[in-house]
Amino acid sequence: VLAQIVRLVENAQTGKLPVQRVADRVVAVFTPVVLLIAALAFGAWLLLTGDVSSALIASVAVLVVACPCAMGLATPAAILVGSSRAAEMGVLFRKGEALEALSRVDTVLLDKTGTLTLGRPALTALHSTLDDRAALRLAAALEADSEHPLARAVRAAASAQGLEIPVVQDFAALPGMGVRATLDGHTLLLGARRLMNHEGVDLGDFAARADALQAKGQTAVFLAQDQVCVAVLGISDPLKPEAAAVVQALRERGLDLALVTGDAARTAQAVADALGIKRVHADLLPQEKAPVVAAMQAQGRRVSFVGEVLNEGPALAQAYVGL
């Protein structure tokens, strides 16, 4: 990992930026012209005064004032210092062009989970028609094989209560929606509202409970057994302590900000309101985030997307600069 970090920094420092290539082309013409003028100045003063010292001073003055090497050195020196300082602060540039591109960004799209939030979600509420421990046991069994951040919260809550987690069969992860499996002959579903809608599960009273949880900024996860919704879990992921200050700093730099997340609209809006972000794009599947970036780019915006999980890959690649 360290070797890869070093290589990233070296690549960023040695690669030529577009502005540096322009400077090199200018210097390629500028330097010979300056040297020629310095030679002419030396010859003219030598003919006029016959004094080698005066002629030498005149030619050196031309070189010092024009200083043709400074233009060629300034850009690579700035890249070297900037990328080195950034590396010390934990910011790595995959290539030098990102340094220049980042300065032109006018719109920043922020993912929610793990970017604005701590990425350490915890189970904070559970409403069920079953015994709460039984509902949590089923949810943890479904999440045992899931890699989603919310799955860790469910497993941690079950572990804290000392629950024995059964092994499910026919496990399937449904990207952007949730998971499905069978246990003791029962079909189990656990996931977002869109999963329940997709599977034709009636949420009943749990819909209102989920709305209340989402209004508080919590993520609502539904549990269904044999096509009947039996529980809703509220999972909270606190905002990072520095999130509000970062959003404010970006806004003060004149950048347009928006929240882009797969979470429910109410949850996303609660987070956006807490941070002062005006625009929200929520309820998005992983593959639907890149089109949001593309739509803004079509409006002439230079968009940067900030995310931290594999799901954000397409959006990060689509953006003018991905962080």
Side-chain angles (χ1 to χ4, degrees):
V1 172
L2 181 59
Q4 290 175 6
I5 291 173
V6 171
R7 189 157 56 249
L8 278 173
V9 176
E10 288 177 345
N11 290 342
Q13 291 177 345
T14 56
K16 286 196 174 184
L17 275 67
V19 68
Q20 188 175 346
R21 288 193 286 270
V22 171
D24 288 345
R25 288 199 296 271
V26 172
V27 169
V29 176
F30 186 59
T31 300
V33 170
V34 170
L35 292 174
L36 178 61
I37 294 173
L40 291 174
F42 179 84
W45 277 88
L46 187 61
L47 288 174
L48 291 172
T49 65
D51 184 354
V52 175
S53 296
S54 297
L56 187 60
I57 289 172
S59 63
V60 169
V62 172
L63 291 174
V64 170
V65 171
C67 195
C69 61
M71 186 179 297
L73 290 175
T75 302
I79 296 169
L80 180 66
V81 173
S83 57
S84 297
R85 178 65 182 134
E88 292 175 6
M89 300 173 70
V91 181
L92 303 177
F93 292 92
R94 187 170 66 86
K95 53 186 179 181
E97 286 89 339
L99 273 164
E100 182 178 346
L102 197 57
S103 69
R104 299 196 183 112
V105 165
D106 55 30
T107 303
V108 179
L109 303 184
L110 299 161
D111 178 45
K112 183 179 77 69
T113 304
T115 301
L116 293 174
T117 65
L118 290 172
R120 295 196 294 270
L123 182 66
T124 51
L126 174 59
H127 305 287
S128 176
T129 55
L130 306 175
D131 175 74
D132 285 355
R133 288 173 60 87
L136 181 56
R137 176 174 172 271
L138 292 177
L142 279 164
E143 297 287 36
D145 293 322
S146 175
E147 299 176 353
H148 196 280
L150 299 183
R152 292 195 294 269
V154 176
R155 291 197 299 267
S159 177
Q161 294 193 26
L163 298 179
E164 183 179 347
I165 309 303
V167 178
V168 298
Q169 292 81 43
D170 305 320
F171 174 85
L174 308 172
M177 293 196 289
V179 295
R180 178 197 294 117
T182 58
L183 178 64
D184 299 331
H186 297 287
T187 301
L188 299 175
L189 295 168
L190 184 73
R193 190 187 300 254
R194 68 171 70 95
L195 174 62
M196 301 297 139
N197 293 338
H198 182 268
E199 297 293 329
V201 177
D202 182 15
L203 299 179
D205 294 338
F206 291 113
R209 290 182 180 274
D211 292 344
L213 292 172
Q214 291 168 348
K216 299 176 183 177
Q218 299 183 40
T219 299
V221 178
F222 298 92
L223 173 65
Q225 180 174 277
D226 296 329
Q227 295 299 105
V228 177
C229 188
V230 295
V232 61
L233 295 77
I235 299 177
S236 178
D237 189 6
L239 291 172
K240 290 180 177 178
E242 67 274 18
V246 169
V247 168
Q248 180 63 26
L250 292 173
R251 188 181 294 108
E252 289 176 354
R253 292 182 70 88
L255 296 170
D256 188 16
L257 303 178
L259 180 63
V260 179
T261 178
D263 216 332
R266 286 187 179 86
T267 303
Q269 191 61 56
V271 171
D273 291 344
L275 296 174
I277 297 175
K278 303 300 182 186
R279 289 193 296 148
V280 177
H281 301 271
D283 278 318
L284 298 175
L285 294 172
Q287 64 269 26
E288 293 175 338
K289 294 182 180 180
V292 172
V293 177
M296 291 193 177
Q297 290 173 328
Q299 298 171 8
R301 295 177 178 272
R302 293 184 181 270
V303 180
S304 173
F305 188 91
V306 187
E308 60 85 47
V309 294
L310 187 61
N311 283 346
E312 322 307 337
L316 289 167
Q318 175 68 42
Y320 186 61
V321 180
L323 289 94

